[in-house]
Amino acid sequence: MIFIHRYNTPTLQHFNTSTLHSPMPINVRIPTPLRQLTGGEELVTVTAANVGAAIAEMQAKYPGIKDRLLDDKGEVRRFVNVYVNEEDIRFLQSQATPLKDGDEISIIPAIAGG
């Protein structure tokens, strides 16, 4: 129940925690060069609120992956492309790009050639 005090400040009392849902897993597609860090897994899951938190969660599960994705300043490396639902995060909110149920992150190494 939510009660409103006489000063219109809501407070929670007798909050039923059984109605809370843990975040839905977000699928992360791992490119072949990084699969050595994920035990060969092509698809891993995280339960993060944004891309930066997803990278931090992957680092906790798969040590070393953050260093392959982020530079010394903590930005996504130039030769790494990160997509949320096929949208490049550089054109969204970068690592602050929010994630919601059903989203998919794809990590794609840039291909150079000529």
Side-chain angles (χ1 to χ4, degrees), residues 31-107:
T32 303
L34 297 182
R35 290 184 194 157
Q36 65 194 30
L37 299 170
T38 63
E41 295 295 323
E42 174 186 357
L43 193 67
V44 300
T45 59
V46 295
T47 54
N50 61 44
V51 173
I55 293 171
E57 185 176 330
M58 286 191 300
Q59 173 63 22
K61 291 179 182 178
Y62 311 108
I65 200 163
K66 179 180 170 185
D67 293 335
R68 302 287 293 275
L69 300 176
L70 305 181
D71 63 19
D72 293 338
K73 296 177 183 177
E75 298 297 322
V76 175
R77 292 183 181 278
R78 289 184 316 128
F79 57 84
V80 174
N81 298 305
V82 179
Y83 295 86
V84 173
N85 302 327
E86 300 180 11
E87 292 286 331
D88 191 332
I89 66 166
R90 288 182 175 96
F91 300 106
L92 299 172
Q93 297 173 39
S94 193
Q95 291 182 61
T97 300
L99 300 171
K100 62 186 181 315
D101 295 350
D103 282 349
E104 181 174 86
I105 298 172
S106 297
I107 301 168

Side-chain angles (χ1 to χ4, degrees), residues 15-22:
F15 188 75
N16 184 354
T17 57
S18 66
T19 62
L20 292 176
H21 300 287
S22 60

